Amino acid sequence: MYRSKTLILTEKEFASSEKRLSICLRSNGFSFSEVTTSGVLLTFGEAEGEHASSMTGVMADVKVFFASVGIRPLGYASMELVVLSNESVWVPDELYSPSANRQYLKLAGSTATSIMATRCKALSSTAVYVAAEMLATAFKVALPGLQVVNQHVKLASIGLERRSMQHAVLLTHWREGVIDFAAYREGRYIYGNSVRFASDSEAQFHTIEVLKSYGLENADTELLMCGEVGRERFALLRPYFPTASLYTGTHTSYLTPAFKTLHTYKNALIL
């Protein structure tokens, strides 16, 4: 059963067709947002609690939770579920075959059996990744029309590709023990992967290695950070880049003053 931990609502009503619903799975629940198609943030919430062990249990809990916070997930312009995967590969459209998903990951050293795939139109490629398929499927059944993506598809941004025409960009999404990297140079997405780390000094090492490996160390590279980023973590990497800032995802505005207290960079995957 899920409990509401955080909930910020906007009183003004908008038609469902003018809104998109985004959900990000966590090990102990999920976060979610409603944003209008014009970029106005209407709702942000966090649900906490253990995921049920069966598909029917998860489906029931999802429906009960959204009903409890007054959200009727029908008729949205789009609905998206972001799953966080530690193992993934990109496969170009011309090489991709759904029947080979397990083989793609096997070539990358993975032995996982719970595998999902999402096409990324921006990159003309498909992300094949390890994820809790039962959990994601339960959300899809509970919320018909929900599209599942992983964090690398979300971090592959046409806006950042354009930004990198001026200077290289390294986007980092931080979570417990893992950094998700997305690197851009000369208007192209050139690298995306998840790297585990045991300490912030090790994370610093991995970040510098990405700079060197992908020809970014001599460029006027901009660092963008989102997710679990604190002052010390930001200060640790700031000296290695000409410019560095917190990344907040797609630009949004808001009508409710309570959103001033929301750390949007921590929730960039659903904003």
Side-chain angles (χ1 to χ4, degrees):
M1 183 66 69
Y2 302 117
R3 304 171 298 279
S4 180
K5 176 184 177 183
T6 306
L7 185 63
I8 305 174
L9 299 169
T10 300
E11 292 184 4
K12 185 176 179 180
E13 293 290 334
F14 288 81
S16 293
S17 60
E18 297 180 61
K19 300 186 290 186
R20 57 181 175 86
L21 175 67
S22 297
I23 303 168
C24 185
L25 279 180
R26 298 176 178 174
S27 59
N28 62 339
F30 57 91
S31 55
F32 63 96
S33 70
E34 287 183 306
V35 181
T36 69
T37 52
S38 61
V40 180
L41 178 58
L42 302 176
T43 306
F44 174 81
E46 294 174 296
E48 62 178 3
E50 291 187 11
H51 300 294
S53 58
S54 68
M55 185 178 296
T56 54
V58 174
M59 290 164 51
D61 288 349
V62 170
K63 291 178 179 178
V64 168
F65 175 80
F66 279 114
S68 72
V69 295
I71 292 178
R72 190 166 178 261
L74 293 172
Y76 282 95
S78 66
M79 294 193 296
E80 189 172 71
L81 177 71
V82 182
V83 296
L84 302 175
S85 55
N86 292 338
E87 298 176 85
S88 64
V89 293
W90 285 108
V91 184
D93 282 351
E94 58 269 25
L95 300 177
Y96 178 69
S97 171
S99 63
N101 282 346
R102 188 166 299 177
Q103 184 65 20
Y104 296 136
L105 282 169
K106 185 178 180 180
L107 290 171
S110 174
T111 58
T113 57
S114 184
I115 297 170
M116 301 188 71
T118 300
R119 183 175 184 271
C120 179
K121 184 178 179 180
L123 300 183
S124 298
S125 300
T126 294
V128 181
Y129 49 94
V130 177
E133 188 174 5
M134 182 280 289
L135 189 57
T137 301
F139 271 77
K140 287 177 65 177
V141 176
L143 307 172
L146 188 72
Q147 301 296 312
V148 180
V149 302
N150 78 338
Q151 75 276 21
H152 291 294
V153 174
K154 290 295 293 182
L155 296 176
S157 163
I158 292 176
L160 291 181
E161 284 188 336
R162 293 170 181 160
R163 191 164 172 168
S164 72
M165 291 292 291
Q166 305 300 319
H167 55 256
V169 176
L170 181 62
L171 171 58
T172 59
H173 174 253
W174 297 71
R175 46 201 176 93
E176 187 175 354
V178 181
I179 312 174
D180 302 309
F181 289 103
Y184 299 82
R185 188 182 62 206
E186 299 173 352
R188 295 175 57 235
Y189 176 102
I190 61 170
Y191 170 74
N193 201 3
S194 298
V195 178
R196 294 178 173 87
F197 65 92
S199 65
D200 279 6
S201 60
E202 185 180 341
Q204 180 188 42
F205 169 79
H206 288 311
T207 303
I208 295 171
E209 279 295 296
V210 170
L211 287 177
K212 293 180 178 179
S213 299
Y214 292 91
L216 303 175
E217 76 277 18
N218 295 322
D220 188 20
T221 303
E222 177 184 13
L223 173 67
L224 298 175
M225 302 178 72
C226 62
E228 296 303 317
V229 181
R231 292 179 182 273
E232 292 183 0
R233 187 168 280 174
F234 185 88
L236 184 67
L237 290 174
R238 176 66 184 88
Y240 296 93
F241 297 84
T243 57
S245 59
L246 297 173
Y247 178 69
T248 58
T250 303
H251 176 72
T252 57
S253 58
Y254 52 82
L255 303 173
T256 303
F259 282 119
K260 291 181 179 179
T261 64
L262 179 64
H263 295 302
T264 51
Y265 67 89
K266 288 188 175 182
N267 301 283
L269 294 179
I270 59 171
L271 296 176

